[in-house]
Amino acid sequence: MPKTEIYILAGFLGTGKTTLLKELLTTEHEEGRKVAVLMNELGEISIDSDEIDDTVPLKELLGGCICCTLQDKLESQLQEILKLYQPDAIYIETTGAAHPVEVLDAVLSPLFADLIEMKGIVTTVDGTLWKERAAMPPQIQQLLLEQVRFADLIVVNKTDMLSDFEQGKLCMEIQSLNAAAPCILTSFSRIPAKKIRNLSVSAKEGAEAAHVHAGLGLSTFVYRFSARVSQSGFEDFLRGLPDGMFRIKGYIHFSHADYPDLFQYSYGTTLYMRECMNLPLNLVFIGHEIDWKEILQKLEQLEGRLPEQD
């Protein structure tokens, strides 16, 4: 069964995310693909949702950010979209205050991780705003840098308002932050749809993991356990994680337990919560410059061990 593609549209306020979304939806309609949109707004009223055609399934998350206060609601909305519409693709437009890593973490639920393919993070940048970013508060400056650093594709708008020298300087600055992501200079978010379709932030299963994102920065991996494992062995695995591993979350069934544990790992901190029902044993990983083949081999080795008494 084909997986639903997930595209995250990130970028600061007013940088052209909704304009880009409209362009992409037009192309999807012309090609006859089924798509859905999930739109997040910090305010209680959505302004940009009026720009979306009534024929496109649309879910709105208002009054907060999906990377912090609305994570649970995001999960339920995505589940509903997947169940009701079975779309070819879902476009998620984030708030201007959203951090790409946290959004990716919010989207990747272990409950439906095997139904989706994370295609990538597209960050829009206002070229005129970027030029003047030094005048902004330090927190905003840092957010702009992070949105560029963890993008898979960078769309720089309003370049018609910049000189050739300013365009060249902007490109150099962005490439110094993220040399792996293509940087497209444009106006009104006009870019070829194939540039976005060709993205892939999800590591493939099995041996193919070795060939995905070699040095391409932020990426994800989903491992599906087929059996119970030793908790001590799993904790040995955790102690050997590379520094670039940001988040792990999902369900794991230990050899001594009747039901799985919900496991969470965030920047070195771990949390186990015992569940009272059987759940899909998916473990979702998010990391930066990770050798997923090595992670896969260690997990397969862990599953191949005889059960141990913990």
Side-chain angles (χ1 to χ4, degrees):
M1 178 179 176
K3 295 184 177 183
T4 296
E5 301 167 3
I6 303 288
Y7 300 88
I8 295 173
L9 306 184
F12 198 61
L13 300 165
T15 54
K17 295 190 297 292
T18 304
T19 303
L20 175 60
L21 176 61
K22 289 173 64 179
E23 293 282 336
L24 293 170
L25 293 179
T26 298
T27 301
E28 296 282 18
H29 177 72
E30 291 171 351
E31 296 182 5
R33 296 218 312 164
K34 292 194 302 179
V35 298
V37 171
L38 199 153
M39 192 170 283
N40 182 207
E41 298 273 9
L42 286 173
E44 296 294 340
I45 298 175
S46 175
I47 304 300
D48 293 332
S49 60
D50 293 336
E51 302 289 325
I52 306 305
D53 192 285
D54 291 340
T55 62
V56 177
L58 169 68
K59 297 290 183 182
E60 296 175 287
L61 290 167
L62 307 177
C65 189
I66 57 177
C67 59
C68 44
T69 58
L70 298 179
Q71 280 206 24
D72 292 342
K73 290 184 179 179
L74 172 69
E75 185 176 291
S76 62
Q77 294 280 39
L78 280 174
Q79 272 192 304
E80 185 175 344
I81 290 173
L82 291 167
K83 183 177 180 180
L84 293 180
Y85 305 108
Q86 293 96 44
D88 297 306
I90 299 174
Y91 289 92
I92 301 174
E93 182 180 335
T94 68
T95 72
H99 189 289
V101 176
E102 303 304 324
V103 173
L104 191 60
D105 176 35
V107 170
L108 288 171
S109 167
L111 293 175
F112 50 76
D114 51 350
L115 300 178
I116 64 176
E117 179 185 359
M118 183 57 61
K119 292 289 286 183
I121 299 170
V122 181
T123 292
T124 53
V125 174
D126 180 327
T128 60
L129 180 68
W130 181 270
K131 185 179 68 169
E132 305 296 335
R133 70 188 185 282
M136 305 181 77
Q139 299 92 330
I140 300 298
Q141 291 185 48
Q142 186 61 33
L143 177 62
L144 293 174
L145 296 178
E146 295 290 281
Q147 288 175 340
V148 165
R149 181 185 173 203
F150 291 111
D152 298 288
L153 177 67
I154 301 160
V155 179
V156 183
N157 277 310
K158 300 184 182 178
T159 53
D160 56 321
M161 301 174 67
L162 302 176
S163 67
D164 290 345
F165 173 79
E166 289 171 333
Q167 290 181 24
K169 184 172 182 290
L170 185 151
C171 278
M172 290 181 61
E173 290 172 350
I174 285 179
Q175 293 280 284
S176 70
L177 290 168
N178 187 343
C183 179
I184 300 175
L185 303 183
T186 186
S187 295
F188 302 103
S189 298
R190 295 193 187 102
I191 66 169
K194 66 179 181 180
K195 290 285 187 182
I196 292 179
R197 291 273 188 83
N198 291 337
L199 297 176
S200 180
V201 73
S202 298
K204 306 304 180 188
E205 298 178 44
E208 293 180 48
H211 307 296
V212 177
H213 285 291
L216 291 188
L218 189 66
S219 54
T220 72
F221 180 61
V222 180
Y223 187 81
R224 298 170 187 84
F225 287 97
S226 58
R228 302 184 188 193
V229 298
S230 157
Q231 184 168 355
S232 63
F234 181 66
E235 289 176 351
D236 285 342
F237 162 77
L238 295 177
R239 281 189 282 271
L241 288 173
D243 292 338
M245 191 68 74
F246 294 153
R247 289 279 280 128
I248 307 172
K249 61 180 179 179
Y251 300 99
I252 184 166
H253 201 162
F254 294 122
S255 53
H256 64 273
D258 293 330
Y259 293 103
D261 277 34
L262 169 62
F263 173 74
Q264 304 248 16
Y265 171 97
S266 180
Y267 301 95
T269 301
T270 60
L271 175 68
Y272 297 93
M273 294 181 64
R274 182 60 45 81
E275 298 290 341
C276 297
M277 64 180 74
N278 288 315
L279 292 156
L281 300 179
N282 295 327
L283 211 56
V284 178
F285 296 79
I286 302 173
H288 185 250
E289 297 183 347
I290 302 294
D291 182 348
W292 293 115
K293 183 177 182 181
E294 181 181 352
I295 297 296
L296 174 67
Q297 288 174 338
K298 288 182 177 180
L299 288 167
E300 289 179 337
Q301 180 186 15
L302 174 64
E303 273 208 280
R305 294 179 181 179
L306 293 174
E308 299 173 5
Q309 294 297 321
D310 297 323

